[in-house]
Amino acid sequence: MKALDQAIALLQTGEPHLESEDVQSARQLLLPGHYLNPTATRARFASVDPATLTTPAVEYVNDIIRGAAVDFD
Amino acid sequence: LTSIDKDLPQKYLTKVLFEKLGYVAEIAVQITSKSYKTGYARQTYSDYDVLGVRFEPDLQLLRIAAECKSGEAKAVEELLKLKGVLTAFGIQRGYLIKSKIAQNARELAGNVGITTFSAAELQQFLTTAFRIDLDETLRTEAAANISLRTLDARFGSGFEQLWKYLRFEFWNRECHRNVQALLRLSASLSKQLDKRDSAHRFGAMRVLYYLSLALLELCGKVIAMGLSDPGRTFSVQIFGGARERREREVLFDMVHQYVPSSQDAVFAFEPDYMSGLSELAMRLIRSASDAAEIPRFLHGVIEEKFMGIGDRAGGAGTVTRKLSQDIALFVMKAAALDRAIFEELLAY
């Protein structure tokens, strides 16, 4: 049915309908290896070591969050 | 601004006019913005030939600007350009100064609320209304400008990032960002500032002057928006308002949750100096009418002590001087600066 809608849109306006987010999401779910269920996701995150930052990096993150960073200007 | 700038004498006299009207005036202020073109970069829109700022006794900021031209043609075009700049950047009043101004331009200026002076009219007004010796004034201002440029260049060569911020960013950013950025930049320079170098002390005083402008503007917002609970209002406005503070809090919580602090530095939403800054702001608000004179006093100290213009700061009241020194003492602590870097101010 959606294919028919797209065909009609193409004939009438020369442009297809923009694809909906549902279609994009479904396409992602169908790709192998991209989707983990919640239980698997939690297990995977638990095994990852948290990142560590140097002191200047921590201060820089603080600056960015506070709105005080000027380095990237 | 160069040594062959034909408009300089008019700019000097306009600066003096603004000062006589109660403003602190600055020549050649850049109007810039950041945008994405091929990359994220600074763009210059225009400039104010002369910009004047002052605070009302309730710390509301007033800004006026002038376009100074030595030519005689295109007055209407220049007038309309000036009107656009005033409107776009929220400047309260404008002045067009030209060698001669055509009558049609004067009519238009009246309609759009811009004051026009021909060069002769400006000179006459300064002479009669303020009893100014024009030749002496021009000599003094020219010498002061040379001192300013020399010291500024020396300071800029050693502290390029801070210098660029003052030159290109300060006048184009919100006051809460200026307060935080200037304190951050000051702290990063504390070990390089040499109290024996007059250019370094000059630069530090300029930072103090600009910080006072931003902080007083912020205090003016507190007075206008939430005087019944000024501490809370300040703690919100220092981050740009309730919504912006909340967004930053949420971002902070997320980052803090997933990234641990290092051994020597911790994630903290508010900087260490925040309680001291808030206490300073409350003092300024409690003495608002005296605090309103701080920029003029600090600018006067800079002109007197570093640019060789005599007795520019002497007229300030005791409370204004004390509050100015309080700002310096706060910056010294927040940015870990040597007390001697502000010796000209603290000895005043």
Side-chain angles (χ1 to χ4, degrees), chain B residues 50-334:
Chain B
V50 185
L51 177 68
V53 295
R54 76 175 171 88
F55 287 91
E56 297 274 41
D58 61 352
L59 300 184
Q60 302 309 299
L61 175 64
L62 296 178
R63 293 184 297 168
I64 61 177
E67 181 81 2
C68 301
K69 295 290 181 189
S70 56
E72 297 180 4
K74 296 184 178 178
V76 170
E77 288 92 328
E78 286 159 0
L79 191 68
L80 292 174
K81 180 197 163 203
L82 175 60
K83 180 63 181 175
V85 169
L86 300 178
T87 303
F89 300 102
I91 309 295
Q92 280 84 3
R93 286 174 60 192
Y95 290 75
L96 178 65
I97 318 288
K98 279 181 70 72
S99 299
K100 286 185 180 175
I101 300 176
Q103 192 56 37
N104 63 338
R106 290 175 188 270
E107 294 282 340
L108 180 59
N111 291 338
V112 296
I114 289 176
T115 302
T116 53
F117 282 125
S118 69
E121 287 168 337
L122 177 60
Q123 292 174 13
Q124 184 186 8
F125 187 60
L126 287 171
T127 307
T128 56
F130 303 108
R131 296 185 182 83
I132 284 175
D133 181 333
L134 293 174
D135 291 337
E136 174 64 24
T137 298
L138 282 171
R139 271 197 300 274
T140 304
E141 290 295 329
N145 193 47
I146 291 171
S147 299
L148 171 70
R149 299 297 153 198
T150 305
L151 285 166
D152 198 43
R154 278 175 55 201
F155 182 70
S157 66
F159 303 94
E160 187 181 5
Q161 191 179 28
L162 181 53
W163 182 86
K164 280 185 174 176
Y165 191 89
L166 296 181
R167 179 138 178 78
F168 299 113
E169 301 295 333
F170 180 83
W171 292 111
N172 303 289
R173 290 202 180 205
E174 304 105 312
C175 56
H176 67 277
R177 290 182 188 275
N178 278 329
V179 169
Q180 292 211 47
L182 287 177
L183 286 170
R184 185 72 184 91
L185 284 168
S186 299
S188 69
L189 302 175
S190 60
K191 290 176 183 165
Q192 301 167 50
L193 281 171
D194 182 353
K195 61 190 177 189
R196 295 163 298 180
D197 190 325
S198 61
H200 288 202
R201 296 199 307 279
F202 162 82
M205 278 297 297
R206 293 261 286 176
V207 171
L208 200 64
Y209 162 70
Y210 284 111
L211 180 67
S212 78
L213 291 178
L215 186 55
L216 288 172
E217 188 180 354
L218 198 57
C219 291
K221 289 189 175 188
V222 173
I223 291 175
M225 297 173 70
L227 202 49
S228 61
D229 190 352
R232 177 176 290 275
T233 308
F234 182 82
S235 73
V236 172
Q237 292 306 316
I238 187 67
F239 290 101
R243 185 180 183 89
E244 195 163 337
R245 180 180 170 115
R246 186 61 193 146
E247 286 176 355
R248 293 179 188 283
E249 282 175 342
V250 170
L251 178 61
F252 171 77
D253 287 345
M254 288 183 64
V255 171
H256 193 213
Q257 187 176 350
Y258 291 111
V259 185
S261 299
S262 74
Q263 283 187 330
D264 302 320
V266 295
F267 285 114
F269 181 65
E270 293 191 341
D272 293 340
Y273 59 70
M274 192 55 80
S275 62
L277 181 65
S278 182
E279 169 56 28
L280 175 63
M282 296 309 109
R283 285 188 187 198
L284 298 175
I285 290 169
R286 282 195 295 272
S287 303
S289 64
D290 292 302
E293 298 300 320
I294 290 172
R296 196 147 49 145
F297 171 65
L298 290 176
H299 200 261
V301 172
I302 292 170
E303 288 193 319
E304 207 175 292
K305 301 294 184 184
F306 295 98
M307 294 157 63
I309 303 182
D311 194 23
R312 285 296 177 106
T318 307
V319 178
T320 300
R321 290 204 304 271
K322 163 75 167 53
L323 291 171
S324 301
Q325 291 166 348
D326 283 347
I327 298 176
L329 293 169
F330 163 75
V331 173
M332 279 166 40
K333 187 176 177 187

Side-chain angles (χ1 to χ4, degrees), chain A residues 51 53 55 62-63 65-66 73, chain B residues 173 184 248 260 262 266 268:
Chain A
L53 294 179
T55 297
N62 278 338
D63 287 343
I65 291 175
R66 294 167 185 163
D73 287 335
Chain B
R173 290 202 180 205
R184 185 72 184 91
R248 293 179 188 283
S262 74
V266 295

